[in-house]
Amino acid sequence: MIENLIAELERKREKLKELGGEDRRKKQHDKGKLDARERLELLFDDGIFMELDPFVKHRCVFFGMDKKDIPAEGVICAVGTVNGRVTFAFSQDFTSAGGSVGEMGAKKMVKTIELAARAGAPVVGINDGGGARIQEGVDALSGYGHIFMANAKYSGVIPQIAVIAGPCAGGAAYSPALMDMVIVVDKISQMFITGPQVIKAVTGETISAEELGGADVHFTVSGNAHFKAPTDKEAINLVKLILSYLPQNWKTLPQSSTAPSADIIPELDKIIPIDPKQPYNMKDVINLVADSNTFLEFYAGFAPNAITGFARIEGKVVGIVANQPSVWAGSLDINAADKISYFVRLCNAYNIPIVNLIDVPGFLPGVNQEFGGIIRHGAKMLYAYAEATVPKVSIILRKAYGGAYLAMCSKEMGADFVFAWPTAEIAVMGPEGAVNIVFKKEIAASDDPEKTRQAKIAEYREKFSTPYFAASRGYIDNIIKPSETKVYIANALKILETKMSEKIKKKAGLIPL
Ligand code: HXC
């Protein structure tokens, strides 16, 4: 008797593996996509996972749905290990009802997120579906409401990583948007709130689905995606790499790896061009300071005038925030401000110390920037650094001008250590601009205005275009040789391992949004 029951269970299990059937799986593969189960097999160690709720069924009776059996309700929920660490995941099955999410599928996803939070383990969401199941009407909308609620509730509790491995249309896109990180897949991801047809009908604009919601647009323009992968297979591998930089939950620390002790890096002494207007590539500095091959750029395609990413220093995970002098001289615009503020908050949520590499001439001037609210966006950076209690170490390499000097985490904004290279220039603005304002009348009245202007520039440069004035006031903790940078950062991080921080009691602060 029991044999029959076991045989029946085995049959049901085998059936589930077929997903939406041979034909639909072939179609999925023909699009260059893995299916929902293959993706999970790739994610979990040895392809092994425990499935959650495989036998859940929808209870919709409208539009012929009462006769429609949807395997696993169109979403495979699972728990397993990734690099030996417990991880939860849900994977939408496009071959079953187009991966659409109804009342019961949503319940499965919410249950997975809640179990992950209870276990204190990350959750990975693989999105590949048509969004809210149309036949289920408000039941499907309510389902998504519960998903959004769970995403928001556990934000900052456990890492939540979303992969857009197919369509993710309509309001459904708000679930990945509420997760910590979004990975898009080249030529495969399609993410928008209102699709091309709706836009055409309402505004008359014509645009293809790829141009509107493809991987590139979210990676480089909208800022909705933090990572881009060439295939869904590589997106899953990227998830595993990202998880290696994150702790299991907010109460734990990221795992350290073994690495050689920090040492002098002679190349850094020659990295900054003599001419302060000459650009250089800040990524060269980052790759020298970080343990070899550990820098993983976050938001690489968005606001390239700023750089954010995870790295390791002496094996310990750090978040790097830097200006990029080779793009707009590294000045901060609206997008860079959003990018940095978000990354700082992400690091703070997951106990990742922040290292700031500063070479910033200021906020980007422009009518668009002012109209777009650069004040409000720039304020996010100040807020994010001010509220971050993780260790914060700032290195001023060259320019640190005006509000941008403060917004990149100066001493006042809570940097625990600030070190400056001898090339550092810390001032309200650059010499030329400053002299033109302060000595305007004197220059105009002089016999040789250009000579007077140059003399004033030289005077200003001597006073402020060195770190010694700031050091004399204690705004920086020390002036260091560039080659000593990694040693100073590593020491600072060791000192700060037991950092104490106190929060002012209040209900909720109001970060400018
Ligand atoms: C029910 C759906 C569905 C949906 C797709 N399907 N989306 N079923 N509800 N939302 C079904 C199709 O009927 C089809 O079933 C199968 O999935 C495959 O879909 P196709 O259209 O044949 O595939 P394709 O041409 O690749 O196009 C995929 C697609 C398109 C781009 C996702 O189906 C589409 O635009 N779907 C609707 C997207 C949408 O507007 N969703 C609602 C979003 S609002 P058969 O059986 O014929 O193969 C939303 C709100 C969330 O999500 C909550 C907000 C608050």
Side-chain angles (χ1 to χ4, degrees), residues 269-302:
D269 283 339
K270 295 186 207 87
I271 214 150
I272 288 205
I274 304 282
D275 177 355
K277 287 195 177 125
Q278 277 285 309
Y280 57 96
N281 189 352
M282 185 64 93
K283 286 186 195 167
D284 294 339
V285 177
I286 296 170
N287 283 315
L288 285 166
V289 170
D291 294 350
S292 116
N293 288 322
T294 63
F295 181 54
L296 174 65
E297 198 170 351
F298 177 87
Y299 252 148
F302 185 63

Side-chain angles (χ1 to χ4, degrees), residues 166-293:
C168 184
Y174 285 123
S175 172
L178 283 165
M179 295 175 88
D180 304 339
M181 293 180 217
V182 175
I183 303 172
V184 285
V185 182
D186 204 20
K187 311 273 188 307
I188 300 264
S189 300
Q190 244 182 55
M191 198 166 42
F192 35 70
I193 297 296
T194 52
Q197 286 108 321
V198 179
I199 291 182
K200 177 122 180 52
V202 176
T203 71
E205 292 163 292
T206 309
I207 188 163
S208 73
E210 176 67 21
E211 284 169 320
L212 181 69
D216 280 333
V217 74
H218 291 306
F219 187 59
T220 61
V221 181
S222 71
N224 289 325
H226 308 98
F227 296 95
K228 185 175 95 164
T231 61
D232 53 357
K233 192 173 167 186
E234 286 177 72
I236 305 279
N237 286 332
L238 189 54
V239 169
K240 297 191 215 185
L241 181 65
I242 294 167
L243 286 172
S244 73
Y245 288 92
L246 299 174
Q248 284 296 86
N249 56 60
W250 75 279
K251 288 192 174 171
T252 57
L253 294 173
Q255 269 184 346
S256 298
S257 59
T258 48
S261 299
D263 208 346
I264 299 296
I265 305 167
E267 293 99 302
L268 285 174
D269 283 339
K270 295 186 207 87
I271 214 150
I272 288 205
I274 304 282
D275 177 355
K277 287 195 177 125
Q278 277 285 309
Y280 57 96
N281 189 352
M282 185 64 93
K283 286 186 195 167
D284 294 339
V285 177
I286 296 170
N287 283 315
L288 285 166
V289 170
D291 294 350
S292 116
N293 288 322

Side-chain angles (χ1 to χ4, degrees), residues 24 68 94 97-98 100 130-135 141 144 148 167 169-172:
R24 284 170 196 262
K68 197 162 174 158
F94 190 79
S100 58
R133 186 172 296 150
I134 295 161
Q135 297 91 326
L141 292 183
Y144 257 109
F148 300 160

Side-chain angles (χ1 to χ4, degrees), residues 53-68:
D53 281 337
F55 301 116
V56 158
K57 298 262 171 260
H58 71 80
R59 33 187 200 174
C60 177
V61 291
F62 311 122
F63 305 105
M65 284 293 284
D66 47 340
K67 291 178 199 69
K68 197 162 174 158

Side-chain angles (χ1 to χ4, degrees), residues 420-426 463-472 476 479:
W421 288 9
T423 40
E425 306 169 24
I426 305 156
K463 190 75 195 151
F464 293 130
S465 298
T466 82
Y468 290 98
F469 179 69
S472 75
I476 55 179
I479 299 169

